[in-house]
Amino acid sequence: MTWWDAALLFVAGIGGGLVGSIAGLASLTTYPALLLIGLPPVTANVTNTVALVFNGVGSVSASLPELRGQRSILKRLVPAALVGGAAGAELLLAIPAEGFENIVPVLLAASAVLIAIPQRERVAGAPRGAVRILVESVAVLAICVYGGFFGAAAGVLMLALFLRTGGESLAHANATKNVVLGVANGVAAMIFIAFAPIHWWAVAPLGAGCLLGSRLGPAIVRRAPATPLRLMIAAAGLALAVKLGVDTYL
């Protein structure tokens, strides 16, 4: 890997960390950058997962104000994230990715639409019904399986879920997403480190960029007007859905 490759990955990591901590679209820049320097798709995918551990560290540490009072929610969702991330990683190592990736554009487009629709903010501390809790937990498990398997736009899916099922605000839903997705990505990364080919020379600059960029995202979400930011996230998600759809079906 050349110095130019390292510089490209560092810049892609900053961009990925920034949009990942805001919208869950880190792979929008990081995964293509790994392909651009010549990594094969599977190696790029697992290397990307390992590098994005730094995105989780940065985004969660920067989201601490919004995470206050969310202990009970996270205690319920983190086990599903652990199981889902591990299952997704095992799935990637066991079967080809093509079939599973075919549904990604549809899921991403649907999530972008859900994010764009204004949601009624839940009163802080208001109880969740048993059915809603069950649906949310099952959905988190499914998204984390997908996140461990491929990961592109898993954050958009999760952000849409939390905005629909109980986030008091975009910033709170984003903070919850950062923790849950960070856990799923972390356990998938550990499995890949043990059993998959990791390009460590690419992880270093990409991970450093992700750490830097992800520290900035929650501060932007905290201060920016919620509606324009939500619509920008939805537009980015829809654009990625179109791009993935063209690559997949054409």
Side-chain angles (χ1 to χ4, degrees), residues 113-215:
V113 171
L114 287 174
I115 289 174
I117 298 173
Q119 72 280 353
R120 184 176 59 185
E121 292 189 358
R122 191 176 65 89
V123 177
R128 290 174 169 87
V131 174
R132 174 171 288 188
I133 289 175
L134 177 61
V135 170
E136 183 181 50
S137 299
V138 171
V140 165
L141 176 64
I143 293 170
C144 288
V145 170
Y146 165 65
F149 183 89
F150 182 57
V156 173
L157 300 176
M158 197 163 290
L159 185 60
L161 171 68
F162 292 148
L163 284 172
R164 293 290 106 188
T165 61
E168 288 87 5
S169 67
L170 176 61
H172 284 83
N174 186 63
T176 308
K177 176 265 294 178
N178 287 338
V179 173
V180 175
L181 199 60
V183 169
N185 189 79
V187 70
M190 288 190 289
I191 292 174
F192 291 152
I193 289 171
F195 300 108
I198 308 297
H199 197 295
W200 290 105
W201 288 107
V203 169
L206 189 62
C210 283
L211 183 61
L212 178 60
S214 62
R215 287 285 302 169

Coordinates of all heavy atoms in Angstrom, one line a residue, residues 113-215:
V113 N -37.2 6.7 3.5 CA -38.5 7.3 3.5 C -39.0 7.4 4.9 O -39.6 8.4 5.3 CB -39.5 6.4 2.7 CG1 -40.9 6.8 2.8 CG2 -39.1 6.4 1.2
L114 N -38.8 6.4 5.8 CA -39.2 6.4 7.2 C -38.6 7.6 7.9 O -39.2 8.2 8.8 CB -38.9 5.1 7.8 CG -39.8 3.9 7.5 CD1 -39.3 2.7 8.1 CD2 -41.3 4.2 7.8
I115 N -37.3 7.8 7.7 CA -36.6 8.9 8.3 C -37.1 10.2 7.9 O -37.2 11.2 8.7 CB -35.1 8.8 8.0 CG1 -34.4 7.6 8.8 CG2 -34.3 10.1 8.4 CD1 -33.0 7.4 8.4
A116 N -37.5 10.3 6.6 CA -38.0 11.6 6.1 C -39.4 12.0 6.6 O -39.7 13.2 6.7 CB -38.1 11.5 4.5
I117 N -40.2 11.0 7.0 CA -41.5 11.2 7.5 C -41.4 11.8 8.9 O -40.8 11.2 9.8 CB -42.4 9.9 7.6 CG1 -42.6 9.4 6.2 CG2 -43.7 10.2 8.2 CD1 -43.2 8.0 6.1
P118 N -42.0 13.0 9.2 CA -42.0 13.6 10.6 C -42.5 12.6 11.6 O -43.6 12.0 11.4 CB -42.8 14.8 10.4 CG -42.9 15.1 9.0 CD -42.8 13.8 8.3
Q119 N -41.8 12.5 12.7 CA -42.3 11.6 13.8 C -42.8 12.4 15.0 O -42.2 13.5 15.2 CB -41.2 10.6 14.2 CG -40.1 11.2 15.0 CD -39.1 11.8 14.1 OE1 -39.2 11.8 12.9 NE2 -38.1 12.5 14.7
R120 N -43.7 11.9 15.7 CA -44.2 12.6 16.9 C -43.2 12.2 18.0 O -43.0 11.0 18.3 CB -45.6 12.1 17.3 CG -46.2 12.8 18.5 CD -47.6 12.4 18.8 NE -47.7 11.0 19.0 CZ -48.9 10.3 19.1 NH1 -50.0 11.0 19.0 NH2 -48.9 9.0 19.3
E121 N -42.6 13.2 18.7 CA -41.6 12.9 19.7 C -42.3 12.2 20.9 O -43.4 12.7 21.4 CB -40.9 14.1 20.1 CG -40.0 14.7 19.0 CD -39.1 15.8 19.5 OE1 -39.2 16.2 20.7 OE2 -38.3 16.3 18.7
R122 N -41.7 11.2 21.4 CA -42.2 10.5 22.6 C -41.8 11.3 23.9 O -40.7 11.9 23.9 CB -41.6 9.1 22.7 CG -42.2 8.2 23.7 CD -41.6 6.8 23.7 NE -40.2 6.9 24.1 CZ -39.8 6.8 25.3 NH1 -40.6 6.6 26.3 NH2 -38.5 6.8 25.6
V123 N -42.7 11.4 24.8 CA -42.4 12.1 26.1 C -41.3 11.3 26.8 O -41.4 10.1 26.9 CB -43.7 12.2 26.9 CG1 -43.4 12.8 28.3 CG2 -44.7 13.0 26.2
A124 N -40.3 12.0 27.3 CA -39.2 11.3 28.0 C -39.8 10.5 29.2 O -40.5 11.0 30.0 CB -38.2 12.4 28.5
G125 N -39.4 9.3 29.2 CA -39.8 8.4 30.4 C -41.1 7.8 30.1 O -41.5 7.0 31.0
A126 N -41.8 8.1 29.0 CA -43.1 7.4 28.8 C -42.9 5.9 28.5 O -41.9 5.5 27.9 CB -43.7 8.0 27.5
P127 N -43.7 5.1 29.0 CA -43.6 3.6 28.9 C -43.8 3.1 27.5 O -44.5 3.7 26.7 CB -44.6 3.1 29.8 CG -45.7 4.1 29.9 CD -45.0 5.4 29.8
R128 N -43.1 2.0 27.1 CA -43.3 1.4 25.9 C -44.2 0.2 26.1 O -44.0 -0.5 27.1 CB -42.0 0.9 25.2 CG -41.1 2.1 24.8 CD -39.7 1.5 24.3 NE -38.9 2.4 23.6 CZ -38.1 3.3 24.2 NH1 -38.0 3.3 25.5 NH2 -37.3 4.1 23.5
G129 N -45.1 -0.1 25.1 CA -45.9 -1.3 25.3 C -45.1 -2.6 25.0 O -44.0 -2.5 24.4
A130 N -45.6 -3.7 25.5 CA -44.9 -5.0 25.4 C -44.7 -5.4 23.9 O -43.6 -5.9 23.5 CB -45.7 -6.1 26.1
V131 N -45.7 -5.1 23.1 CA -45.6 -5.5 21.7 C -44.5 -4.6 21.0 O -43.7 -5.2 20.3 CB -47.0 -5.3 21.0 CG1 -46.8 -5.5 19.5 CG2 -48.0 -6.3 21.6
R132 N -44.5 -3.4 21.3 CA -43.5 -2.5 20.7 C -42.1 -2.9 21.2 O -41.2 -2.9 20.4 CB -43.8 -1.0 21.1 CG -42.7 -0.1 20.7 CD -43.1 1.4 20.9 NE -44.1 1.8 19.9 CZ -44.5 3.0 19.8 NH1 -44.0 4.0 20.5 NH2 -45.5 3.3 18.9
I133 N -41.9 -3.3 22.4 CA -40.6 -3.7 22.9 C -40.2 -5.0 22.2 O -39.0 -5.1 21.7 CB -40.7 -4.0 24.4 CG1 -40.8 -2.7 25.2 CG2 -39.5 -4.8 24.9 CD1 -41.0 -2.9 26.7
L134 N -41.1 -5.9 22.0 CA -40.8 -7.1 21.3 C -40.4 -6.9 19.8 O -39.4 -7.4 19.3 CB -42.0 -8.1 21.3 CG -41.8 -9.4 20.6 CD1 -40.6 -10.2 21.1 CD2 -43.0 -10.3 20.6
V135 N -41.2 -6.0 19.1 CA -40.9 -5.7 17.7 C -39.6 -5.0 17.6 O -38.8 -5.3 16.7 CB -42.1 -4.8 17.2 CG1 -41.7 -4.3 15.8 CG2 -43.4 -5.6 17.1
E136 N -39.3 -4.1 18.5 CA -38.1 -3.3 18.5 C -36.9 -4.2 18.7 O -35.9 -4.2 17.9 CB -38.1 -2.2 19.5 CG -36.8 -1.3 19.5 CD -36.9 -0.3 20.6 OE1 -37.1 -0.7 21.8 OE2 -36.7 0.9 20.3
S137 N -37.0 -5.2 19.6 CA -35.9 -6.1 19.9 C -35.6 -7.0 18.7 O -34.4 -7.3 18.4 CB -36.2 -6.9 21.2 OG -36.3 -6.0 22.3
V138 N -36.7 -7.5 18.1 CA -36.5 -8.4 17.0 C -35.9 -7.7 15.8 O -35.1 -8.2 15.1 CB -37.9 -9.1 16.6 CG1 -37.8 -9.8 15.3 CG2 -38.3 -10.0 17.7
A139 N -36.4 -6.5 15.6 CA -35.9 -5.7 14.5 C -34.4 -5.3 14.7 O -33.6 -5.4 13.8 CB -36.7 -4.4 14.4
V140 N -34.0 -5.0 15.9 CA -32.6 -4.7 16.2 C -31.7 -6.0 15.9 O -30.7 -5.9 15.3 CB -32.4 -4.3 17.7 CG1 -30.9 -4.4 18.1 CG2 -32.9 -2.9 17.9
L141 N -32.2 -7.2 16.3 CA -31.5 -8.4 16.1 C -31.3 -8.6 14.6 O -30.2 -8.9 14.1 CB -32.3 -9.6 16.7 CG -31.8 -11.0 16.4 CD1 -30.4 -11.2 17.0 CD2 -32.7 -12.1 16.9
A142 N -32.4 -8.4 13.8 CA -32.3 -8.6 12.3 C -31.3 -7.6 11.7 O -30.5 -7.9 10.8 CB -33.7 -8.4 11.7
I143 N -31.4 -6.3 12.1 CA -30.5 -5.3 11.5 C -29.1 -5.6 11.9 O -28.2 -5.4 11.1 CB -30.9 -3.9 12.0 CG1 -32.3 -3.5 11.5 CG2 -29.9 -2.9 11.6 CD1 -32.9 -2.2 12.1
C144 N -28.8 -6.1 13.1 CA -27.5 -6.4 13.5 C -26.9 -7.6 12.8 O -25.7 -7.7 12.6 CB -27.4 -6.6 15.0 SG -27.6 -5.1 16.0
V145 N -27.8 -8.6 12.5 CA -27.4 -9.7 11.6 C -26.9 -9.2 10.3 O -25.8 -9.5 9.8 CB -28.5 -10.7 11.4 CG1 -28.1 -11.7 10.3 CG2 -28.8 -11.4 12.7
Y146 N -27.7 -8.3 9.7 CA -27.3 -7.7 8.4 C -26.0 -6.8 8.6 O -25.1 -6.9 7.8 CB -28.4 -6.8 7.9 CG -28.0 -5.8 6.8 CD1 -27.5 -6.3 5.6 CD2 -28.0 -4.4 7.0 CE1 -27.1 -5.5 4.6 CE2 -27.5 -3.6 6.1 CZ -27.1 -4.1 4.8 OH -26.7 -3.3 3.9
G147 N -25.9 -6.1 9.7 CA -24.7 -5.3 10.0 C -23.5 -6.1 10.1 O -22.4 -5.7 9.5
G148 N -23.5 -7.3 10.7 CA -22.4 -8.1 10.8 C -22.1 -8.8 9.5 O -20.9 -9.1 9.3
F149 N -23.1 -9.0 8.7 CA -22.9 -9.7 7.4 C -22.3 -8.7 6.3 O -21.3 -9.1 5.7 CB -24.2 -10.2 6.9 CG -24.1 -11.0 5.6 CD1 -23.9 -12.3 5.7 CD2 -24.3 -10.3 4.4 CE1 -23.9 -13.1 4.5 CE2 -24.2 -11.1 3.2 CZ -24.0 -12.4 3.2
F150 N -22.8 -7.5 6.2 CA -22.3 -6.6 5.1 C -22.1 -5.2 5.7 O -21.1 -4.6 5.5 CB -23.3 -6.6 4.0 CG -22.9 -5.8 2.8 CD1 -21.7 -5.9 2.2 CD2 -23.7 -4.7 2.4 CE1 -21.3 -5.1 1.1 CE2 -23.3 -3.9 1.3 CZ -22.1 -4.1 0.7
G151 N -23.2 -4.7 6.4 CA -23.0 -3.4 7.1 C -23.4 -2.1 6.4 O -23.7 -1.2 7.1
A152 N -23.3 -2.1 5.1 CA -23.6 -0.8 4.4 C -25.0 -0.4 4.7 O -26.0 -1.2 4.5 CB -23.4 -0.9 2.9
A153 N -25.2 0.8 5.3 CA -26.5 1.4 5.6 C -27.2 0.7 6.8 O -28.4 1.0 7.0 CB -27.4 1.4 4.4
A154 N -26.6 -0.2 7.5 CA -27.2 -0.7 8.7 C -27.6 0.4 9.7 O -28.7 0.3 10.4 CB -26.3 -1.8 9.4
G155 N -26.8 1.4 9.8 CA -27.1 2.5 10.7 C -28.4 3.3 10.3 O -29.1 3.8 11.1
V156 N -28.6 3.4 9.0 CA -29.8 4.1 8.5 C -31.0 3.3 8.9 O -32.0 3.8 9.3 CB -29.7 4.3 7.0 CG1 -31.1 4.8 6.5 CG2 -28.6 5.2 6.6
L157 N -30.9 1.9 8.7 CA -32.0 1.1 9.1 C -32.3 1.2 10.6 O -33.5 1.3 11.0 CB -31.7 -0.4 8.8 CG -31.4 -0.7 7.3 CD1 -31.0 -2.2 7.2 CD2 -32.6 -0.5 6.5
M158 N -31.3 1.2 11.4 CA -31.5 1.3 12.9 C -32.0 2.7 13.3 O -32.8 2.8 14.2 CB -30.2 1.0 13.6 CG -30.4 0.6 15.0 SD -28.9 -0.2 15.7 CE -29.1 -1.8 14.9
L159 N -31.5 3.7 12.7 CA -31.9 5.1 13.0 C -33.4 5.2 12.7 O -34.2 5.8 13.5 CB -31.1 6.1 12.2 CG -31.4 7.6 12.6 CD1 -31.1 7.9 14.0 CD2 -30.5 8.5 11.7
A160 N -33.8 4.7 11.5 CA -35.2 4.8 11.2 C -36.1 4.0 12.2 O -37.1 4.5 12.6 CB -35.4 4.2 9.8
L161 N -35.6 2.9 12.7 CA -36.3 2.1 13.7 C -36.5 2.9 15.0 O -37.6 2.9 15.5 CB -35.5 0.8 13.9 CG -36.0 -0.1 15.1 CD1 -37.4 -0.6 14.8 CD2 -35.0 -1.2 15.5
F162 N -35.4 3.4 15.5 CA -35.5 4.1 16.7 C -36.3 5.4 16.7 O -36.9 5.8 17.6 CB -34.1 4.4 17.3 CG -33.3 3.2 17.7 CD1 -31.9 3.1 17.5 CD2 -33.9 2.1 18.2 CE1 -31.2 2.0 17.9 CE2 -33.3 1.0 18.6 CZ -31.9 0.9 18.4
L163 N -36.3 6.1 15.5 CA -37.1 7.2 15.3 C -38.6 6.8 15.3 O -39.5 7.6 15.7 CB -36.8 8.0 14.0 CG -35.5 8.8 14.0 CD1 -35.2 9.3 12.6 CD2 -35.6 10.0 15.0
R164 N -38.9 5.6 14.9 CA -40.3 5.2 14.8 C -40.7 4.6 16.2 O -41.9 4.6 16.5 CB -40.4 4.1 13.8 CG -40.3 4.5 12.3 CD -41.4 5.4 11.9 NE -41.0 6.8 11.8 CZ -41.8 7.8 11.6 NH1 -43.1 7.6 11.4 NH2 -41.4 9.0 11.5
T165 N -39.8 4.1 17.0 CA -40.2 3.3 18.1 C -39.9 3.9 19.5 O -40.1 3.2 20.5 CB -39.6 1.9 18.1 OG1 -38.2 2.0 18.1 CG2 -40.1 1.1 16.9
G166 N -39.4 5.1 19.5 CA -39.3 5.7 20.8 C -38.2 6.7 21.1 O -38.1 7.2 22.2
G167 N -37.4 7.1 20.1 CA -36.4 8.1 20.4 C -37.1 9.5 20.7 O -37.9 9.9 20.0
E168 N -36.7 10.1 21.8 CA -37.3 11.4 22.2 C -36.9 12.5 21.1 O -37.6 13.4 21.0 CB -36.8 11.8 23.5 CG -37.4 11.1 24.7 CD -36.6 9.8 25.0 OE1 -35.5 9.6 24.4 OE2 -37.0 9.0 25.8
S169 N -35.8 12.3 20.5 CA -35.4 13.3 19.4 C -34.4 12.6 18.5 O -34.0 11.4 18.7 CB -34.6 14.5 20.1 OG -33.4 14.0 20.7
L170 N -34.1 13.3 17.4 CA -33.1 12.7 16.5 C -31.8 12.4 17.2 O -31.1 11.4 17.0 CB -32.9 13.7 15.3 CG -31.8 13.3 14.3 CD1 -32.1 12.0 13.6 CD2 -31.7 14.4 13.2
A171 N -31.3 13.4 18.0 CA -30.1 13.2 18.7 C -30.1 12.0 19.7 O -29.1 11.2 19.7 CB -29.7 14.4 19.5
H172 N -31.2 11.7 20.4 CA -31.3 10.6 21.3 C -31.4 9.3 20.5 O -30.7 8.3 20.8 CB -32.5 10.7 22.2 CG -32.4 11.7 23.3 ND1 -32.6 13.0 23.1 CD2 -32.0 11.5 24.6 CE1 -32.4 13.6 24.3 NE2 -32.0 12.7 25.2
A173 N -32.1 9.3 19.4 CA -32.2 8.1 18.5 C -30.8 7.8 17.9 O -30.4 6.6 17.8 CB -33.2 8.3 17.4
N174 N -30.1 8.8 17.5 CA -28.8 8.7 17.0 C -27.8 8.1 18.0 O -27.0 7.2 17.7 CB -28.3 10.0 16.4 CG -27.0 9.9 15.7 OD1 -26.9 9.2 14.6 ND2 -25.9 10.5 16.2
A175 N -27.9 8.6 19.2 CA -27.0 8.1 20.3 C -27.2 6.6 20.5 O -26.3 5.8 20.7 CB -27.2 8.9 21.5
T176 N -28.5 6.2 20.6 CA -28.9 4.8 20.8 C -28.3 4.0 19.7 O -27.8 2.9 19.9 CB -30.4 4.6 21.0 OG1 -30.9 5.5 21.9 CG2 -30.7 3.2 21.3
K177 N -28.5 4.4 18.5 CA -28.0 3.7 17.3 C -26.5 3.6 17.4 O -26.0 2.5 17.0 CB -28.4 4.5 16.0 CG -27.9 4.0 14.7 CD -26.6 4.6 14.3 CE -26.8 6.1 14.0 NZ -25.5 6.7 13.6
N178 N -25.8 4.6 17.8 CA -24.3 4.5 17.9 C -23.9 3.4 18.8 O -22.9 2.7 18.5 CB -23.7 5.8 18.3 CG -23.8 6.9 17.2 OD1 -23.9 6.6 16.1 ND2 -23.8 8.2 17.7
V179 N -24.5 3.2 20.0 CA -24.1 2.2 20.9 C -24.5 0.8 20.4 O -23.6 -0.1 20.3 CB -24.9 2.4 22.3 CG1 -24.6 1.2 23.2 CG2 -24.4 3.7 22.9
V180 N -25.7 0.6 19.9 CA -26.2 -0.7 19.5 C -25.4 -1.2 18.3 O -24.9 -2.3 18.2 CB -27.7 -0.7 19.2 CG1 -28.1 -2.0 18.7 CG2 -28.5 -0.4 20.5
L181 N -25.2 -0.3 17.3 CA -24.5 -0.7 16.1 C -23.0 -0.9 16.4 O -22.4 -1.7 15.8 CB -24.7 0.4 15.0 CG -24.4 -0.1 13.6 CD1 -25.3 -1.2 13.2 CD2 -24.6 1.1 12.6
G182 N -22.5 -0.1 17.3 CA -21.1 -0.2 17.7 C -20.8 -1.6 18.4 O -19.8 -2.2 18.1
V183 N -21.8 -2.1 19.2 CA -21.6 -3.4 19.8 C -21.7 -4.5 18.7 O -20.9 -5.4 18.7 CB -22.7 -3.6 20.8 CG1 -22.8 -5.0 21.3 CG2 -22.5 -2.7 22.0
A184 N -22.7 -4.4 17.8 CA -22.8 -5.4 16.8 C -21.5 -5.4 15.9 O -21.0 -6.5 15.6 CB -24.0 -5.1 16.0
N185 N -21.1 -4.3 15.5 CA -19.9 -4.2 14.7 C -18.7 -4.7 15.4 O -17.8 -5.4 14.8 CB -19.7 -2.7 14.2 CG -18.6 -2.6 13.2 OD1 -18.8 -2.8 12.0 ND2 -17.4 -2.2 13.6
G186 N -18.6 -4.4 16.7 CA -17.4 -4.9 17.5 C -17.3 -6.4 17.6 O -16.2 -6.9 17.4
V187 N -18.4 -7.0 17.8 CA -18.4 -8.5 18.0 C -18.1 -9.1 16.6 O -17.4 -10.1 16.5 CB -19.7 -9.0 18.6 CG1 -20.9 -8.9 17.7 CG2 -19.5 -10.5 19.0
A188 N -18.7 -8.5 15.5 CA -18.4 -9.0 14.2 C -16.9 -8.9 13.9 O -16.3 -9.8 13.3 CB -19.2 -8.3 13.1
A189 N -16.3 -7.8 14.2 CA -14.9 -7.5 14.0 C -14.0 -8.5 14.7 O -13.0 -9.0 14.1 CB -14.5 -6.1 14.5
M190 N -14.4 -8.9 15.9 CA -13.6 -9.9 16.7 C -13.6 -11.2 15.9 O -12.6 -12.0 15.9 CB -14.1 -10.0 18.1 CG -13.8 -8.8 19.0 SD -14.2 -9.1 20.7 CE -16.0 -9.1 20.7
I191 N -14.8 -11.6 15.4 CA -14.9 -12.9 14.7 C -14.0 -12.8 13.4 O -13.3 -13.7 13.0 CB -16.3 -13.2 14.3 CG1 -17.1 -13.5 15.6 CG2 -16.5 -14.4 13.4 CD1 -18.6 -13.7 15.5
F192 N -14.1 -11.7 12.7 CA -13.3 -11.5 11.5 C -11.8 -11.5 11.7 O -11.0 -12.1 11.0 CB -13.7 -10.2 10.7 CG -15.1 -10.2 10.2 CD1 -15.8 -9.0 10.0 CD2 -15.7 -11.4 9.7 CE1 -17.1 -9.0 9.5 CE2 -17.0 -11.4 9.2 CZ -17.7 -10.2 9.1
I193 N -11.4 -10.9 12.8 CA -10.0 -10.9 13.2 C -9.5 -12.3 13.4 O -8.4 -12.7 13.0 CB -9.8 -10.1 14.5 CG1 -9.9 -8.6 14.1 CG2 -8.4 -10.3 15.0 CD1 -10.0 -7.7 15.3
A194 N -10.4 -13.2 14.0 CA -10.0 -14.6 14.3 C -10.0 -15.5 13.0 O -9.2 -16.4 12.9 CB -10.9 -15.1 15.3
F195 N -10.9 -15.2 12.1 CA -11.2 -16.2 11.0 C -11.1 -15.6 9.6 O -11.3 -16.4 8.7 CB -12.5 -16.8 11.2 CG -12.7 -17.6 12.5 CD1 -13.5 -17.1 13.6 CD2 -12.0 -18.8 12.8 CE1 -13.6 -17.7 14.8 CE2 -12.1 -19.5 14.0 CZ -12.9 -18.9 15.0
A196 N -10.9 -14.3 9.4 CA -11.0 -13.8 8.1 C -9.7 -13.0 7.7 O -9.0 -12.6 8.6 CB -12.2 -12.9 7.9
P197 N -9.5 -12.8 6.4 CA -8.2 -12.0 6.0 C -8.4 -10.5 6.2 O -9.2 -9.9 5.6 CB -8.1 -12.4 4.6 CG -9.5 -12.6 4.1 CD -10.2 -13.3 5.3
I198 N -7.7 -9.9 7.2 CA -7.8 -8.5 7.5 C -6.5 -7.8 6.9 O -5.4 -8.3 7.1 CB -7.8 -8.2 9.0 CG1 -8.9 -9.1 9.7 CG2 -8.0 -6.8 9.3 CD1 -10.3 -8.8 9.2
H199 N -6.8 -6.7 6.2 CA -5.6 -5.9 5.6 C -5.3 -4.9 6.7 O -5.8 -3.8 6.7 CB -6.1 -5.3 4.3 CG -4.9 -4.8 3.5 ND1 -4.1 -3.8 3.9 CD2 -4.4 -5.2 2.3 CE1 -3.2 -3.6 3.0 NE2 -3.3 -4.4 2.0
W200 N -4.4 -5.2 7.6 CA -4.1 -4.3 8.7 C -3.5 -3.0 8.3 O -3.7 -2.0 9.0 CB -3.2 -5.1 9.7 CG -3.9 -6.2 10.4 CD1 -3.8 -7.5 10.2 CD2 -4.9 -6.0 11.4 NE1 -4.7 -8.2 11.0 CE2 -5.3 -7.3 11.8 CE3 -5.5 -4.9 12.1 CZ2 -6.3 -7.6 12.8 CZ3 -6.5 -5.1 13.0 CH2 -6.9 -6.4 13.4
W201 N -2.7 -3.0 7.2 CA -2.1 -1.7 6.8 C -3.2 -0.7 6.3 O -3.0 0.5 6.4 CB -1.1 -1.9 5.7 CG 0.1 -2.6 6.1 CD1 0.5 -3.9 5.9 CD2 1.1 -2.0 6.9 NE1 1.7 -4.1 6.5 CE2 2.2 -3.0 7.1 CE3 1.3 -0.7 7.4 CZ2 3.3 -2.7 7.8 CZ3 2.5 -0.4 8.2 CH2 3.4 -1.4 8.4
A202 N -4.4 -1.3 5.9 CA -5.5 -0.4 5.6 C -6.3 0.0 6.8 O -6.9 1.1 6.9 CB -6.4 -1.1 4.6
V203 N -6.4 -0.9 7.8 CA -7.1 -0.6 9.0 C -6.6 0.6 9.7 O -7.4 1.5 10.2 CB -7.1 -1.8 10.0 CG1 -7.7 -1.4 11.3 CG2 -8.0 -3.0 9.4
A204 N -5.3 0.7 9.8 CA -4.6 1.8 10.5 C -5.1 3.2 10.1 O -5.6 4.0 10.9 CB -3.1 1.7 10.5
P205 N -4.9 3.6 8.8 CA -5.3 5.0 8.4 C -6.8 5.1 8.4 O -7.3 6.2 8.7 CB -4.7 5.1 7.0 CG -4.5 3.8 6.5 CD -4.2 2.9 7.7
L206 N -7.5 4.1 8.0 CA -9.0 4.2 7.9 C -9.6 4.3 9.3 O -10.4 5.1 9.5 CB -9.5 2.9 7.2 CG -11.0 3.0 6.8 CD1 -11.3 4.1 5.8 CD2 -11.4 1.6 6.2
G207 N -9.1 3.5 10.2 CA -9.6 3.6 11.6 C -9.3 4.9 12.3 O -10.1 5.5 13.0
A208 N -8.1 5.4 12.0 CA -7.7 6.7 12.6 C -8.6 7.8 12.0 O -9.1 8.7 12.8 CB -6.2 7.1 12.2
G209 N -8.9 7.8 10.8 CA -9.8 8.8 10.2 C -11.2 8.6 10.7 O -11.9 9.6 11.1
C210 N -11.7 7.4 10.9 CA -13.0 7.1 11.5 C -13.1 7.7 12.9 O -14.1 8.3 13.3 CB -13.3 5.7 11.5 SG -13.8 5.0 9.9
L211 N -12.1 7.5 13.7 CA -12.1 8.0 15.1 C -12.2 9.5 15.1 O -13.0 10.0 15.9 CB -10.8 7.5 15.8 CG -10.7 7.9 17.3 CD1 -11.9 7.3 18.1 CD2 -9.4 7.5 17.8
L212 N -11.5 10.2 14.3 CA -11.5 11.6 14.2 C -12.9 12.1 13.7 O -13.5 13.0 14.4 CB -10.4 12.2 13.3 CG -10.4 13.7 13.1 CD1 -10.2 14.4 14.4 CD2 -9.2 14.0 12.1
G213 N -13.4 11.6 12.6 CA -14.6 12.0 12.1 C -15.8 11.7 13.0 O -16.7 12.5 13.1
S214 N -15.8 10.6 13.6 CA -16.9 10.2 14.4 C -17.1 11.0 15.7 O -18.2 11.1 16.3 CB -16.8 8.7 14.8 OG -15.7 8.4 15.6
R215 N -16.0 11.6 16.1 CA -16.1 12.5 17.3 C -16.9 13.8 17.0 O -17.4 14.4 17.9 CB -14.7 12.9 17.8 CG -13.9 11.7 18.5 CD -14.5 11.5 19.9 NE -14.4 12.7 20.7 CZ -14.9 12.8 21.9 NH1 -15.6 11.8 22.4 NH2 -14.8 13.9 22.6

